[in-house]
Amino acid sequence: MRSTDQIMHKAAWLYYMHGLRQDEVAKQLNISRASIATYLRRAREIGIVNISTSTQLFSDDVLARKLEDALSLDAVWIVPEDRLAIDPAAEMPVVAAAVFLELINKGDRIGVAWGRTVYHLADIMPYADLQGVTVVQLCGNLGAPYNYRPDQCTTEIGRRLNAEGINLYAPLVLSSERLASDLRNEPVIREQLASIADCQLVLYSVGGIESDSHLVRCGALTAEEMQALGESGAGGVIAGQVIDHEGRWLDCPHNRRCISADLEIIRTIPKRMMVVEEDSKFQPLVAAIKGGFVSHLVVTHSMALRLLARWEAEAPRRG
């Protein structure tokens, strides 16, 4: 075994088995914290650390069961935030990647959206040989250089799974409604969008409608346009499209100019996996759940508590 491999094994052992923090591992091995992070990532990628069985830990919880029952979800995984937990910001994509891999079956067609959360999941995902699986892009691409682009997310996940990746070579937002309508009717684009109905699993997060949201930062909308959407009832963003607070597609110029999957089709896909990291995504997540966009959910413990409190408070009105 090479010396670097020995260090990688030792770092993984101290971090995962002994529960040392990354800075503590770095001090014990007399190397930098940045090097430790690199070694741990490499250990996951090549299979020294196998996280495929760890999802039981995050789903076998009373709160997860309560949330599943209250929200009528198929499964919930909760990332802890107590003093014994690894940093949730680092742990969330690791848990989500393990859950995602568990949900994939041989021959599945998988729809993938975009955003920081999805890209972090792809970046942390271990390599797997899942031949026969197809990964398709749920929405059009962004014209300007931008991190976490839809094509980047789709390509990276396809690469990690050794699966076929199908990118949607069209802009996310067109300059006019007529142009968007014409492009959606082009045979190649029409067939690609229609094929999303054949997916067994979709992976995404939900976007917010704040002035620094992804749609604003990528140039699809101005901060003023996003504010106006919020005032007209916008509650969140799914695959580049704006939904209202009840999870319904919002009839607005932005949505009519979008090249993206039909939200009604997404609702019919059997496994709809949503991963939400940020506390600020609470209201958009509520809208997504109400709209039927979630069957499998990965959230932090604090978000799970907020969701349960919200549904319990609304239960009398629904009853």
Side-chain angles (χ1 to χ4, degrees), residues 4-24:
T4 54
D5 290 338
Q6 291 178 326
I7 295 172
M8 179 167 54
H9 279 73
K10 184 67 173 179
W13 177 259
L14 292 172
Y15 185 73
Y16 288 104
M17 301 304 294
H18 288 274
L20 270 63
R21 300 191 309 270
Q22 289 189 18
D23 59 330
E24 293 173 330

Side-chain angles (χ1 to χ4, degrees), residues 73-315:
L73 301 180
D74 292 341
V76 173
W77 291 265
I78 297 175
V79 178
E81 299 164 287
D82 57 34
R83 63 182 180 83
L84 298 178
I86 303 171
D87 177 16
E91 191 167 12
M92 173 69 76
V94 176
V95 175
V99 171
F100 180 59
L101 288 173
E102 285 188 358
L103 294 178
I104 301 172
N105 295 317
K106 184 178 180 180
D108 273 357
R109 191 177 185 90
I110 303 166
V112 174
W114 63 299
R116 184 180 66 177
T117 300
V118 174
Y119 191 79
H120 283 177
L121 185 156
D123 192 46
I124 206 73
M125 186 185 302
Y127 289 91
D129 189 5
L130 298 180
Q131 297 180 26
V133 170
T134 304
V135 182
V136 300
Q137 192 172 316
L138 287 179
C139 58
N141 213 32
L142 304 167
Y146 181 69
N147 291 334
Y148 325 124
R149 293 197 320 259
D151 61 332
Q152 288 179 315
C153 294
T154 302
T155 299
E156 185 60 22
I157 289 177
R159 190 174 74 88
R160 297 289 175 130
L161 300 179
N162 194 25
E164 180 184 5
I166 300 178
N167 292 114
L168 183 59
Y169 291 108
L172 173 63
V173 185
L174 276 294
S175 58
S176 72
E177 295 177 25
R178 179 177 178 179
L179 186 58
S181 177
D182 289 343
L183 188 55
R184 281 193 292 267
N185 286 320
E186 280 293 317
V188 172
I189 303 299
R190 185 174 65 244
E191 290 172 12
Q192 282 189 272
L193 291 175
S195 71
I196 293 170
D198 298 325
C199 289
Q200 290 77 39
L201 167 65
V202 287
L203 167 68
Y204 45 30
S205 187
V206 61
I209 58 167
E210 59 276 0
S211 60
D212 63 343
S213 69
H214 285 317
L215 285 180
V216 174
R217 283 184 290 181
C218 77
L221 289 169
T222 66
E224 292 75 21
E225 288 171 332
M226 183 60 86
Q227 182 179 351
L229 282 172
E231 293 170 354
S232 64
V237 179
I238 298 286
Q241 300 177 81
V242 180
I243 58 174
D244 68 14
H245 292 286
E246 298 300 317
R248 296 170 299 216
W249 184 83
L250 190 67
D251 189 6
C252 62
H254 168 79
N255 281 349
R256 293 193 295 269
R257 293 187 291 116
C258 271
I259 305 295
S260 185
D262 187 323
L263 296 189
E264 292 299 324
I265 288 177
I266 289 181
R267 288 187 180 95
T268 67
I269 294 171
K271 289 179 281 190
R272 304 172 304 285
M273 177 179 168
M274 181 163 285
V275 185
V276 177
E277 295 182 73
E278 303 96 328
D279 290 339
S280 61
K281 296 286 187 68
F282 176 71
Q283 294 297 345
L285 177 55
V286 168
I289 294 170
K290 288 183 174 182
F293 294 106
V294 187
S295 64
H296 296 71
L297 178 64
V298 182
V299 289
T300 60
H301 185 266
S302 58
M303 182 69 84
L305 288 174
R306 292 178 70 186
L307 287 171
L308 186 60
R310 174 69 170 264
W311 254 257
E312 288 180 342
E314 293 184 353

Side-chain angles (χ1 to χ4, degrees), residues 15 21-27 30-40 87 90:
Y15 185 73
R21 300 191 309 270
Q22 289 189 18
D23 59 330
E24 293 173 330
V25 177
K27 183 177 181 181
N30 196 29
I31 57 178
S32 70
R33 189 181 186 280
S35 296
I36 293 298
T38 301
Y39 281 129
L40 293 177
D87 177 16

